[in-house]
């Protein structure tokens, strides 16, 4: 028996350079039937090669910035990347550490920042749909000249404060 759960945001901190044919169909099902926002890390190869599931149509692809809002040199850049978020020197739970955490970097650290921002947007305005949340994130993002061509064509960088502010006033189908 399949149980249909209502999941607003799905974070994917994994990927590979190839996307099987059936995967886009699966993404489409999640987007259309479950109406979830799918966020995915763009990859850490430091190349201009698409990484999946981030490169699939409809997925919000996230790359990483380092201190000073500069592009993380090891992060994947590609035309399918939508937005950048902090992903370098992030403290994360770590099994083999003296303090049970470690400071690590990766687009797998940046994607949950965007997923968390999406959750805060949804909390600020529960009536927003997944497409609305995506639009709020992109419309509120700052254009960062240092990221132009690296985080989408316009170099968009997550602006959490502006996103939450806009989400409270969002009426849907705005751009």
């Amino acid at each position: 028996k399949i149980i249909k759960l209502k999941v607003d945001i799905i974070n994917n901190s994994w990927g590979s350079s190839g996307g099987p044919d059936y995967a886009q169909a699966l993404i489409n099902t999640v987007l259309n039937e479950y109406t979830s926002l799918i966020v995915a890390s763009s990859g850490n190869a430091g190349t201009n090669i698409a990484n999946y599931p981030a490169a699939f149509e409809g997925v919000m692809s996230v790359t990483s910035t380092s201190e000073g809002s500069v592009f993380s040199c090891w992060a994947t850049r590609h035309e399918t990347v939508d937005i950048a978020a902090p992903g370098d020197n992030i403290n994360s739970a770590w099994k083999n550490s003296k303090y049970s955490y470690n400071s690590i970097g990766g687009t797998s650290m940046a994607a949950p920042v965007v997923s968390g921002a999406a959750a805060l947007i949804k909390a600020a305005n529960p009536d927003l749909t997944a497409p609305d949340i995506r639009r709020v994130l992109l419309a509120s993002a700052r254009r960062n000249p240092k990221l132009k061509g690296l985080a989408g064509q316009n170099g968009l960088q997550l602006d959490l404060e502006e996103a939450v502010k806009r989400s409270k006033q969002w009426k849907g189908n705005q751009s």
Side-chain angles (χ1 to χ4, degrees):
K1 183 177 178 180
I2 297 175
I3 300 172
K4 190 172 181 179
L5 300 175
K6 177 61 179 135
V7 178
D8 294 312
I9 301 140
I10 301 171
N11 184 73
N12 295 274
S13 290
W14 57 274
S16 68
S17 60
D21 293 340
Y22 67 84
Q24 181 67 61
L26 176 62
I27 295 291
N28 292 342
T29 298
V30 172
L31 292 172
N32 298 325
E33 292 185 29
Y34 293 85
T35 61
S36 300
L37 175 66
I38 303 172
V39 179
S41 56
S42 67
N44 302 320
T47 61
N48 187 13
I49 297 173
N51 194 48
Y52 295 88
F56 282 123
E57 187 176 333
V59 174
M60 178 161 259
S61 178
V62 182
T63 196
S64 172
T65 57
S66 298
E67 190 173 336
S69 298
V70 298
F71 182 73
S72 301
C73 63
W74 39 259
T76 297
R77 58 203 172 277
H78 191 261
E79 63 190 18
T80 58
V81 172
D82 294 300
I83 196 165
D88 199 13
N89 294 316
I90 305 294
N91 287 336
S92 182
W94 206 256
K95 182 172 114 179
N96 297 323
S97 169
K98 179 180 175 183
Y99 303 106
S100 299
Y101 72 90
N102 197 8
S103 183
I104 58 177
T107 59
S108 290
M109 299 290 103
V113 171
V114 173
S115 294
L120 289 171
I121 289 167
K122 182 70 173 176
N125 187 342
D127 294 330
L128 294 179
T129 64
D132 289 334
I133 294 169
R134 179 187 179 98
R135 286 185 201 102
V136 168
L137 285 165
L138 295 175
S140 62
R142 285 182 286 131
R143 289 179 186 238
N144 181 340
K146 296 182 234 176
L147 299 175
K148 189 170 182 164
L150 301 170
Q153 294 177 355
N154 297 313
L156 297 181
Q157 184 167 9
L158 176 68
D159 186 334
L160 178 58
E161 183 178 4
E162 183 63 23
V164 172
K165 194 182 308 179
R166 282 192 187 207
S167 70
K168 292 176 182 177
Q169 301 153 355
W170 199 264
K171 302 292 185 227
N173 293 326
Q174 299 175 346
S175 51

